[in-house]
Amino acid sequence: MKLLPLLLASTATATDYFLRYTPTSLTPSTVPSWLTLTRLRTNGTLSPNLPPPPYNPADHYARFTPSSASDPYTPLVVVATNPHPPPVPGYLGLSDKDGVADAYRAVESWRVDEEGKGFLYKEWRVEEVKGGRCKPGRKVLRYKPVGGGAWGWFAVKEGERWVPWYIKKSPANEATLATWTYASVDVELVVATGRVNSNAPGGVEE
């Protein structure tokens, strides 16, 4: 049964998505211009992220597909490159292993049972933007509310890479966030039209 999401991801009817940062009204003007509207990559790491250009053409983009097109909340399955997919499906999740209160790092995992009780991956929601700064019809990524308060996406600078975190600003993490360089962003899903091919630059053909 665990292989079912992977099989669904490879069918012609499944919709695959790239992830990219979209600026929000709270995005500081001091962040680099290339940070937004550029697809996130994996770069051999567990977290989708965006390094500064120039990009290595061998780096793979972060590409996912919902396990269900009908349920409001669903896991997001990693779209594996072909012809060498992993033996088990991978998922996009939110990890609390960094130990920051009210903050989760976005990571890919192929061993969700080993991630601990704080690992969240089953209740992603793809929402269509109705208005605001984003053009209507854009799809953004949300997770089912974790407790109360306002949760949002932030691109956090870790070395040269900007990594997506899902954060609720609170007194418990105020001191930690004060030491970080980050930008308020949205995580947008962009439909991938090309087939997956590990021999193509970025692991995809478009």
Side-chain angles (χ1 to χ4, degrees), residues 3 83 94 149 203:
L3 292 178
L94 296 173

Side-chain angles (χ1 to χ4, degrees), residues 127-139 188:
E127 295 187 357
E128 187 170 318
V129 175
K130 302 300 182 182
R133 284 175 57 88
C134 292
K135 294 181 180 178
R138 282 188 176 181
K139 293 182 177 180
E188 182 182 357

